[in-house]
Amino acid sequence: MSLAPDITEQLARARADLRMGVPVVMTGPTSAVVIAAETLSAERLADIQALGGQPVLTITARRAETLKARVYDGDLARLVLPADANLAWIHSIADPADDLRTPMKGPFSCDREGDPVLHRTALSLAKTARLLPAVLVLEIADSFKFAAEHGLTRINLESASAALSTRSPLHPVVHARLPIEASEAGRLHIYRPEDGGEEHYAIEVGRPDRSKPVLARLHSACFTGDVLGSLKCDCGPQLRGALAQMGAEGQGVLLYLNQEGRGIGLANKMRAYSLQDQGFDTVEANQRLGFEDDERDFRLGSDILASMGFSSVRLLTNNPRKVEMMEASGIKVAERVPLRVGENAFNTAYLATKAAKSGHLL
């Protein structure tokens, strides 16, 4: 029988648990109880500290660089939790909101013993849950008994590491005719990933010939720009401009990928905006939060295009990385079509940063 959840389903449960402030148990050569710093409560912190042992707060190397903490594990740092650490201290390490007001948060004692694979997997899980990349980790002896006694989700470390490093397959759910302003000949396709993540969409304009390069755009969801008309970015004008160009040509495919805020989620994007108000640029803000400049996976777009029967595109983009990833994923880019719209007094510095630090061709 296959009624028990597999590793993909267990990880979906674990993401939901972490978002609600519930710990999960990871089982491997080293086993541990893991809880997200962002959703950690004072009560659960006290419970974890009462277990004994040495909890560590695991953060990314990007966040550690900001905090001037030593990085011994390449992409992450394991901060030994001080005996007098409280919830406010943990939150201040995870969230850079008060960095300028209280920049000196150390000194830190950093763990450098043992294999950090469990901590790396826990960070990946927190990222995919759209939480701040900071997790409290406490090694435990009998993970099976511990998980059973406390009713916690238990996941196998090796299986989880493999699953989190592989993009989830996408499956078509439904498509239907959808007349839109740009073209009455519109059709919306819905794609759903196996891992329980956000659905992605393809807006097909007209009936593009599958044997020829299709005018296409990979557009990452931007609630603030696409829906609210934010002037801080150029996303809304790019979305409408791409659809208008497809409507004018009578054909095209716009892939609307739910990777808000360059893949960090809307809440973290708003945290980045708050940091920008403190004087940091868009790249610096993401990195101070503990993320990379861009956490998106554009291969999702290639998967959808291939599923729809397309093998080559004329790609509407100013981002060379999209071209490279599309080509590497098996979709030929016959032409890069510039899409320079939406500059205003509020986003000039943002666009300049994208050009200087992210390589956008503006």
Side-chain angles (χ1 to χ4, degrees):
M1 296 182 68
S2 58
L3 295 178
D6 62 18
I7 186 58
T8 299
E9 294 157 339
Q10 290 169 357
L11 286 171
R13 283 185 180 180
R15 291 186 190 95
D17 288 346
L18 291 182
R19 288 179 63 84
M20 293 183 69
V22 178
V24 300
V25 173
M26 290 188 171
T27 303
T30 299
S31 298
V33 58
V34 173
I35 190 165
E38 178 180 340
T39 54
L40 177 66
S41 67
E43 293 76 15
R44 284 207 164 100
L45 172 59
D47 290 341
I48 288 175
Q49 290 173 317
L51 293 172
Q54 181 56 72
V56 298
L57 183 60
T58 303
I59 58 176
T60 66
R62 287 295 189 188
R63 183 67 183 133
E65 289 167 9
T66 295
L67 297 170
K68 303 297 188 290
R70 289 187 178 276
V71 177
Y72 295 112
D73 300 315
D75 57 346
L76 61 86
R78 294 172 281 166
L79 311 184
V80 176
L81 204 67
D84 60 349
N86 57 21
L87 188 63
W89 184 86
I90 291 173
H91 284 171
S92 73
I93 299 301
D95 189 342
D98 71 343
D99 278 0
L100 292 187
R101 185 170 61 253
T102 56
M104 301 302 292
K105 302 181 189 297
F108 302 106
S109 174
C110 296
D111 189 4
R112 60 192 301 182
E113 302 298 325
D115 190 338
V117 63
L118 186 148
H119 302 78
R120 183 171 293 115
T121 303
L123 280 178
S124 295
L125 185 59
K127 279 187 176 184
T128 60
R130 298 292 186 260
L131 296 169
L132 286 169
V135 289
L136 189 63
V137 178
L138 175 65
E139 293 187 10
I140 53 178
D142 190 338
S143 61
F144 292 87
K145 180 181 178 182
F146 188 90
E149 285 181 348
H150 298 280
L152 301 179
T153 299
R154 183 179 60 81
I155 54 180
N156 176 271
L157 176 59
E158 183 178 359
S159 299
S161 298
L164 288 168
S165 64
T166 305
R167 71 183 184 276
S168 177
L170 288 170
H171 300 291
V173 178
V174 65
H175 62 85
R177 189 176 67 86
L178 180 67
I180 57 178
E181 287 184 1
S183 173
E184 294 181 2
R187 183 168 290 270
L188 180 62
H189 302 251
I190 309 297
Y191 282 81
R192 182 176 295 159
E194 286 185 3
D195 65 2
E198 299 96 337
E199 293 170 347
H200 305 285
Y201 319 125
I203 299 96
E204 184 177 9
V205 174
R207 293 291 181 269
D209 186 341
R210 267 57 175 173
S211 67
K212 297 179 180 178
V214 63
L215 183 64
R217 170 159 176 79
L218 305 181
H219 188 88
S220 298
C222 179
F223 172 75
T224 51
D226 300 341
V227 178
L228 301 181
S230 167
L231 300 177
K232 284 181 67 70
C233 65
D234 56 346
C235 301
Q238 284 191 326
L239 172 64
R240 293 182 286 276
L243 287 172
Q245 187 165 337
M246 292 173 188
E249 294 194 14
Q251 61 82 37
V253 177
L254 187 138
L255 305 173
Y256 197 88
L257 307 178
N258 275 307
Q259 301 190 111
E260 180 85 43
R262 296 194 193 134
I264 66 176
L266 183 58
N268 286 321
K269 175 175 147 180
M270 289 300 97
R271 291 186 172 108
Y273 275 12
S274 180
L275 291 174
Q276 289 173 36
D277 289 340
Q278 295 180 25
F280 301 103
D281 67 35
T282 181
V283 171
E284 291 167 343
N286 275 29
Q287 292 177 352
R288 290 187 78 88
L289 286 166
F291 296 101
E292 294 301 319
D293 169 24
D294 196 335
E295 297 271 351
R296 292 174 292 182
D297 187 349
F298 296 121
R299 295 175 299 177
L300 296 169
S302 300
D303 293 344
I304 294 174
L305 285 167
S307 173
M308 294 176 70
F310 296 103
S311 59
S312 62
V313 295
R314 296 166 52 227
L315 194 61
L316 271 164
T317 187
N318 304 321
N319 186 353
R321 184 167 171 258
K322 289 184 179 180
V323 176
E324 294 168 4
M325 193 172 288
M326 189 73 76
E327 291 271 8
S329 300
I331 300 293
K332 178 177 174 55
V333 180
E335 178 187 3
R336 185 188 71 83
V337 183
L339 186 61
R340 300 189 182 108
V341 294
E343 183 171 358
N344 61 66
F346 294 92
N347 65 20
T348 298
Y350 163 80
L351 295 176
T353 299
K354 287 211 299 184
K357 293 188 175 182
S358 302
H360 288 227
L361 303 173
L362 302 176

